[in-house]
Amino acid sequence: MLLSNKTDAQKQHQANSWVNRFFQSRKLQFFAMSGIAASVVLISSQLSFISPAHAEVTSLTLEQQQDVRSIIKDALINDPELLKEAIIALQTREQQGTESARQNALSDNHKAMYETQSDPWKGAENPEITMVYFTDFNCPYCKKIEPSLNKLIEEFPQLKIIVKMVPLQGEGSKMAVELAQTVWLNEPEKYAKLKNMLMSSPRRLDSASIAKVAKLTDTEQWLGKTDERVDEMVHDNIKLMRNLGIGGTPSMIFGDKVIPGLVPYDVLKEQLEEVIEAKG
């Protein structure tokens, strides 16, 4: 029998019962929108999209729907903790969704992160743990985090750091990455000194400062003679950042952890120790 054929008392009782089920099944997540007013509006929209399992609710008259809104509004006013719990529940679900998406991205892009043979690297040749490091030669925060990464390698000889160079900071960055990647591909023994000198530049790199570093590192022959493979490598690095949801440099990845931005050495060390412990 439809709700509209019942007595007023029965109608009110069924409306109350439905509201209780609605609170429990939806876990109040939608109430996090913007307080009571938004919640009531959202309830109204929800009434026309009830699944067949709750088909009796779609038979509510306009007056009965208004009664439902009034009941919900009173519940929120009389028990504000409901709204607080709803906000917490929604935030928790969003965080879980973000973390799940991140872990899927790490899994899907594992080969691109760890198995690209043309990437520069430093540290252990046969590592127990590997970090992927996105960096830009003109990024001031990358310059500041470099000493911490070098210290990690000293303290953890089982660590290998794969360097993904990306030119995000203008033409100077692009020229520096092209030179450094070309040197790595052709004279890898000169790469470390070149990279360190480019990173230690106190000002933004330009053609003049890059040429000076090239002269000091005996890599001048590669200026303006970019290896034909470099453009594809740089493109792949930027694409990988996008696939992983990384928006800038520096960014570090090891295990299932993504650490963006400039962080203290102690934080890097703690996170690395957790990954090593988890690996057993």
Side-chain angles (χ1 to χ4, degrees):
M1 182 181 297
L2 295 177
L3 186 59
S4 56
N5 293 331
K6 297 181 179 180
T7 66
D8 289 341
Q10 289 173 321
K11 294 174 184 177
Q12 186 64 40
H13 174 73
Q14 181 145 357
N16 288 338
S17 298
W18 176 81
V19 169
N20 289 333
R21 294 200 307 273
F22 194 89
F23 273 113
Q24 294 172 0
S25 64
R26 298 293 180 178
K27 297 185 184 300
L28 303 174
Q29 292 176 2
F30 50 82
F31 290 121
M33 289 180 62
S34 59
I36 294 172
S39 302
V40 173
V41 172
L42 187 57
I43 284 292
S44 178
S45 67
Q46 291 287 332
L47 289 173
S48 61
F49 294 102
I50 303 299
S51 65
H54 300 288
E56 73 276 5
V57 179
T58 62
S59 301
L60 292 176
T61 66
L62 178 61
E63 180 181 358
Q64 291 162 349
Q65 292 180 28
Q66 291 173 343
D67 288 340
V68 169
R69 296 189 192 98
S70 178
I71 293 169
I72 294 172
K73 181 177 179 179
D74 290 342
L76 289 172
I77 292 175
N78 294 328
D79 189 1
E81 286 296 313
L82 291 175
L83 186 57
K84 180 179 178 181
E85 292 172 7
I87 293 173
I88 293 173
L90 181 59
Q91 290 175 338
T92 299
R93 172 164 291 189
E94 288 178 343
Q95 290 172 354
Q96 291 173 342
T98 299
E99 182 60 26
S100 177
R102 173 175 291 176
Q103 294 306 315
N104 288 337
L106 291 175
S107 177
D108 293 343
N109 292 278
H110 185 275
K111 183 175 182 179
M113 287 191 294
Y114 297 104
E115 299 179 24
T116 304
Q117 300 301 317
S118 56
D119 284 329
W121 59 272
K122 56 184 177 180
E125 185 172 358
N126 298 303
E128 296 177 16
I129 184 74
T130 302
M131 173 193 293
V132 174
Y133 168 49
F134 290 93
T135 185
D136 184 323
F137 286 111
N138 267 338
C139 169
Y141 304 111
C142 295
K143 295 177 184 293
K144 291 180 179 180
I145 206 170
E146 284 282 329
S148 293
L149 299 181
N150 291 333
K151 187 176 179 180
L152 277 181
I153 290 176
E154 292 176 3
E155 189 163 348
F156 297 90
Q158 71 272 45
L159 173 65
K160 176 181 182 179
I161 298 179
I162 295 175
V163 183
K164 301 277 189 181
M165 297 179 291
V166 289
L168 305 179
Q169 302 268 344
E171 185 62 23
S173 293
K174 182 175 182 293
M175 294 174 61
V177 168
E178 288 176 346
L179 174 60
Q181 186 70 69
T182 298
V183 169
W184 171 260
L185 292 173
N186 295 278
E187 293 187 289
E189 69 279 3
K190 296 181 179 180
Y191 171 81
K193 184 178 180 180
L194 173 67
K195 176 180 178 293
N196 291 337
M197 291 192 68
L198 290 171
M199 272 296 178
S200 63
S201 175
R203 61 187 181 88
R204 289 182 66 87
L205 295 166
D206 55 22
S207 58
S209 56
I210 293 172
K212 182 178 180 179
V213 171
K215 183 176 182 179
L216 293 172
T217 56
D218 191 27
T219 57
E220 285 181 289
Q221 62 174 314
W222 302 113
L223 284 172
K225 297 180 181 178
T226 303
D227 190 295
E228 62 183 9
R229 296 170 288 177
V230 170
D231 285 345
E232 182 178 356
M233 294 172 190
V234 172
H235 175 269
D236 289 345
N237 286 345
I238 295 175
K239 179 181 178 181
L240 178 59
M241 285 186 69
R242 188 182 303 117
N243 290 344
L244 295 173
I246 295 174
T249 56
S251 290
M252 289 69 64
I253 304 172
F254 44 89
D256 60 353
K257 298 180 181 295
V258 177
I259 304 178
L262 177 62
V263 295
Y265 173 77
D266 290 343
V267 173
L268 286 174
K269 179 181 178 181
E270 180 183 356
Q271 295 296 311
L272 182 59
E273 288 176 336
E274 288 183 5
V275 173
I276 292 174
E277 182 179 354
K279 289 174 67 71

